[in-house]
Amino acid sequence: MVIRFLDLALEHSMEAWAVSIGVVALAEIGDKTQLLTLVLAARYAKPWPIVAGVVVATLVNHGIAGAVGAWLTEVIGPDAMRWILGASFVAMAAWMLKPDKLGDDVGTSRKIGGVFVTTTFLFFLVEIGDKTQIATVALAARFDSLVAVVMGTTVGMVLANAPVAFFGEALAKRLPVRAVHLVAALVFVALGVGVLVVG
């Protein structure tokens, strides 16, 4: 009985982890934070501190977002939350089709400390209210596995941003951003329908 419970918990955590990686990696392509990574890579040409800053900023930002999602599920209750989540995922799908731009104020920001500190600070700020942060709130509310969701969304962010930090504009220009956004939108619609139909 205990082993079966642990197997189910592990399976649920793996599903949360895998879905979180895929959704955020797709949503991050062409996103403001990926554009910020491109700006930082062009300015400093130091990919390792940039990637480290992305990891730390994402863990903190998505940790907070995930905690909010888990808290909302408890406060609102599972029945109402199912409808809110379904609508949220469909709204995220529509948002994915709107291209992002990096504000001039962020793009021209001066160095705050070293490259790592600058990246961590700017990435955390730009991620506030961003698609991937909102997706993390929704994923944490959908899956009862906060750690798996936050770790998954962080891995997704690194998968999308590390190549840009290392290979910069040459890679960013080759990415089929529109096609990736369309796939991400379809994934969000599928998640929304799944929540509404299956529960």
Side-chain angles (χ1 to χ4, degrees):
M1 182 84 163
V2 174
I3 293 173
R4 178 68 181 141
F5 174 76
L6 291 173
D7 282 346
L8 287 172
L10 180 61
E11 185 181 316
H12 189 67
S13 292
M14 290 304 293
E15 180 188 3
W17 185 72
V19 169
S20 297
I21 290 173
V23 165
V24 169
L26 285 171
E28 180 65 5
I29 303 298
D31 196 56
K32 283 186 300 189
T33 40
Q34 191 180 55
L35 298 174
L36 174 62
T37 302
L38 181 61
V39 168
L40 293 168
R43 182 175 297 171
Y44 301 120
K46 292 185 177 179
W48 287 110
I50 291 171
V51 172
V54 168
V55 170
V56 171
T58 303
L59 278 172
V60 175
N61 192 296
H62 288 196
I64 295 167
V68 168
W71 174 76
L72 282 173
T73 302
E74 286 188 21
V75 171
I76 295 171
D79 290 335
M81 198 64 198
R82 182 168 71 101
W83 292 100
I84 292 169
L85 275 177
S88 296
F89 281 127
V90 172
M92 285 294 301
W95 192 7
M96 279 306 307
L97 300 175
K98 182 178 179 256
D100 267 350
K101 292 179 183 161
L102 190 62
D104 292 335
D105 54 332
V106 174
T108 58
S109 293
R110 288 182 295 159
K111 198 171 178 182
I112 298 158
V115 175
F116 167 75
V117 174
T118 301
T119 302
T120 303
F121 179 74
L122 291 178
F123 206 90
F124 180 87
L125 285 182
V126 172
E127 183 64 6
I128 294 172
D130 200 32
K131 291 183 189 87
T132 45
Q133 187 194 43
I134 304 301
T136 302
V137 172
L139 288 165
R142 168 68 179 92
F143 295 104
D144 187 24
S145 189
L146 177 60
V147 172
V149 167
V150 173
M151 296 311 291
T153 59
T154 301
V155 170
M157 292 292 271
V158 172
L159 287 175
N161 285 290
V164 173
F166 281 95
F167 305 109
E169 198 164 352
L171 177 65
K173 283 185 176 175
R174 291 176 187 266
L175 289 171
V177 176
R178 189 70 185 158
V180 171
H181 281 184
L182 189 57
V183 170
L186 292 172
V187 169
F188 278 118
V189 168
L191 283 169
V193 170
V195 168
L196 291 171
V197 173
V198 180

